[in-house]
């Protein structure tokens, strides 16, 4: 099968490929079930010798036999004619990560639907998943769920999150994932070309990459719920967005990279993210934020995005702290709280390398946060390396220097 991992992202997620494949099952005492493409399989599929080739059948068996079980999936592309339904506590895990195992919806069905449970889905490429509403790759509805170490490529949905959608979820975590060339929406509706959170108790997004995702909605008259957001949409959900890279995403309405709407009194934090080369046909090429006062963007780089109005960010009354931004139009009080407008000096933007050069004004220019203790950046390096965090998704390691890990 094709491995959908360009050079810019392979290094970024290498540490997580190793970490999650080793730790996913630690402490799990329940039964493990096995899936392999070329094995006839014998129920209950509890060894590689009896592994089943029908991933839906094996998942169903694992759930029928109790909670907290694991389904371990070998290499191959699993072409789906129906969605996989997860309604019990379950870990669905590939053996060798997303470069080796794919779930293919064949442009006809959603790959996975999750409800009434809090499963872990880890280590797959999701491709050609399709749904009319909520998640061509994965839908999480009225439930909790964790999606880690996955790639979402070429999925499509008419509304809400072509790659992943959390809808009325109790909690949703997406970590160490890549979303690219997913497409959301028609001319009249749709939120989130790559990922969407709607009415969730908590949205957690960290160490992810979004590029060339699209939201095709052009309707600006139907309220905040139909305003596009090419990479990620967060709607009426408190959120934590950390260490993410957004580039070359596109919205035919607002928010090329990331969009927030209808937040009310809910709080959201965008920390140490990089937005570059995203486009919107209306407002906020990099970030769009509206109808709330409790969103804070910190330590982020918002550079060379494009929109007719507010090219980099349309922030309403949001706070911008210790950020690097090129276009300050539309940003409230951009020149306070440690913000800068100097060129961030990426390593090689033309080759999509958005790490920082040693002389970047973004190096050691952020503000440290409690969550950074023992955290890592998008390359798996210590998030604070020289005492003060850098702006953007990557820490700069000086040549020949010794990094002090916190």
């Amino acid at each position: 099968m094709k491995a959908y991992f360009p050079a810019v992202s392979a290094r970024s997620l290498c540490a997580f490929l190793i970490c999650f494949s080793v730790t996913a099952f630690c402490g799990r005492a329940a039964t493990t079930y096995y899936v392999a493409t070329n094995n006839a399989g014998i129920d209950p599929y509890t060894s590689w010798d009896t592994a089943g080739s029908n991933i839906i059948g094996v998942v169903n068996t694992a759930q029928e036999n109790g909670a907290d079980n694991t389904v371990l999936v070998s290499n191959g592309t699993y072409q789906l004619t129906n969605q996989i339904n997860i309604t019990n506590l379950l870990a669905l895990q590939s053996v060798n990560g997303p470069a080796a195992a794919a779930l293919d919806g064949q442009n006809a069905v959603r790959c996975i639907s999750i409800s009434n449970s809090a499963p872990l889905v880890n280590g797959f490429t999701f491709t050609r998943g399709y749904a009319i509403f909520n998640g061509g790759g994965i839908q999480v509805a009225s439930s909790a769920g964790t999606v880690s170490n996955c790639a979402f490529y070429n999925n499509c949905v008419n509304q809400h999150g072509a790659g992943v959608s959390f809808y009325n979820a109790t909690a949703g975590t997406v970590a160490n994932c890549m979303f690219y060339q997913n497409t959301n929406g028609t001319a009249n509706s749709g939120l989130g070309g790559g990922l969407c959170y709607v009415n969730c108790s908590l949205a957690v997004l960290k160490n992810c990459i979004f590029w060339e995702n699209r939201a095709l909605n052009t309707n600006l008259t139907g309220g905040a719920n139909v305003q596009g957001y090419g990479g990620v949409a967060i709607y009426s959900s408190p959120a934590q967005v950390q260490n993410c890279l957004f580039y070359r995403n596109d919205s035919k309405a607002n928010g090329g990279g990331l969009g927030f709407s209808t937040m009310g009194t809910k709080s959201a934090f965008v920390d140490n993210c990089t937005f570059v080369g995203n486009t919107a046909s209306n407002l906020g090429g990099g970030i769009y934020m509206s109808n709330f006062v409790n969103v804070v963007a910190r330590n982020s780089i918002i550079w060379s995005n494009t929109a007719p109005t507010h090219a980099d960010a349309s922030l309403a009354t949001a706070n911008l702290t210790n950020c690097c931004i090129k276009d300050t139009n539309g940003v409230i009080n951009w020149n306070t709280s440690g913000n800068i407008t100097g060129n961030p000096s990426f390593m090689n933007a033309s080759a999509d390398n958005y790490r920082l050069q040693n002389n970047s004004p973004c190096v050691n220019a952020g503000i440290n946060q409690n969550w950074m203790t023992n955290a890592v950046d998008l390359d798996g390096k210590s998030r604070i390396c020289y005492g003060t965090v850098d702006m953007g998704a990557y820490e700069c390691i000086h040549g020949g220097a010794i990094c002090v890990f916190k």
Side-chain angles (χ1 to χ4, degrees), residues 202 278 309 346 388:
L202 179 63
N278 303 286
T309 305
F346 296 124
T388 302

Side-chain angles (χ1 to χ4, degrees), residues 26-76:
C26 292
R28 299 184 67 89
T31 304
T32 299
Y33 297 80
Y34 297 86
V35 180
T37 54
N38 298 317
N39 200 322
I42 302 173
D43 193 344
Y45 318 113
T46 52
S47 71
W48 283 120
D49 289 338
T50 62
S53 59
N54 183 344
I55 189 171
I56 294 176
V58 176
V59 168
N60 289 344
T61 297
Q63 295 183 103
E64 291 166 1
N65 290 338
D68 206 32
N69 292 324
T70 293
V71 175
L72 187 58
V73 182
S74 187
N75 298 355

Side-chain angles (χ1 to χ4, degrees), residues 12-13 38 44 71 74 84 92 107 109 148 226 238-239 262 287 295 350:
S12 303
L13 295 180
N38 298 317
V71 175
S74 187
I84 299 169
L92 181 62
N107 295 319
V109 299
S148 64
V226 290
T262 315
I287 308 177
V295 173
S350 63

Side-chain angles (χ1 to χ4, degrees), residues 258-274:
L258 170 65
F260 292 87
S261 61
T262 315
M263 295 294 288
T265 59
K266 300 177 176 68
S267 297
F269 297 92
V270 179
D271 289 333
N272 288 94
C273 292
T274 298

Side-chain angles (χ1 to χ4, degrees), residues 1-198:
M1 60 174 287
K2 181 179 179 181
Y4 304 111
F5 294 92
V8 67
S9 301
R11 180 184 174 191
S12 303
L13 295 180
C14 180
F16 301 106
L17 288 168
I18 296 171
C19 176
F20 278 94
S21 62
V22 170
T23 63
F25 305 109
C26 292
R28 299 184 67 89
T31 304
T32 299
Y33 297 80
Y34 297 86
V35 180
T37 54
N38 298 317
N39 200 322
I42 302 173
D43 193 344
Y45 318 113
T46 52
S47 71
W48 283 120
D49 289 338
T50 62
S53 59
N54 183 344
I55 189 171
I56 294 176
V58 176
V59 168
N60 289 344
T61 297
Q63 295 183 103
E64 291 166 1
N65 290 338
D68 206 32
N69 292 324
T70 293
V71 175
L72 187 58
V73 182
S74 187
N75 298 355
T77 298
Y78 297 84
Q79 295 184 330
L80 303 173
T81 55
N82 293 289
Q83 69 184 16
I84 299 169
N85 291 304
I86 299 178
T87 59
N88 205 341
L89 186 60
L90 181 79
L92 181 62
Q93 161 84 32
S94 74
V95 177
N96 293 310
L103 301 179
D104 182 357
Q106 302 188 84
N107 295 319
V109 299
R110 176 189 293 118
C111 296
I112 294 179
S113 178
I114 295 169
S115 60
N116 303 317
S117 61
L120 166 69
V121 177
N122 185 23
F124 295 92
T125 288
F126 291 82
T127 186
R128 299 200 299 170
Y130 171 77
I132 294 175
F133 188 76
N134 280 349
I138 299 177
Q139 170 190 250
V140 182
S142 302
S143 178
T146 297
V147 179
S148 64
N149 189 31
C150 290
F152 295 86
Y153 167 74
N154 196 26
N155 300 284
C156 183
V157 71
N158 286 357
Q159 285 187 307
H160 299 349
V164 179
S165 173
F166 291 87
Y167 193 83
N168 293 333
T170 53
T173 297
V174 179
N176 317 306
C177 290
M178 296 184 289
F179 293 76
Y180 51 106
Q181 296 179 7
N182 302 286
T183 302
N184 181 356
T186 64
N188 294 312
S189 61
L191 280 171
L195 168 65
C196 183
Y197 294 90
V198 176

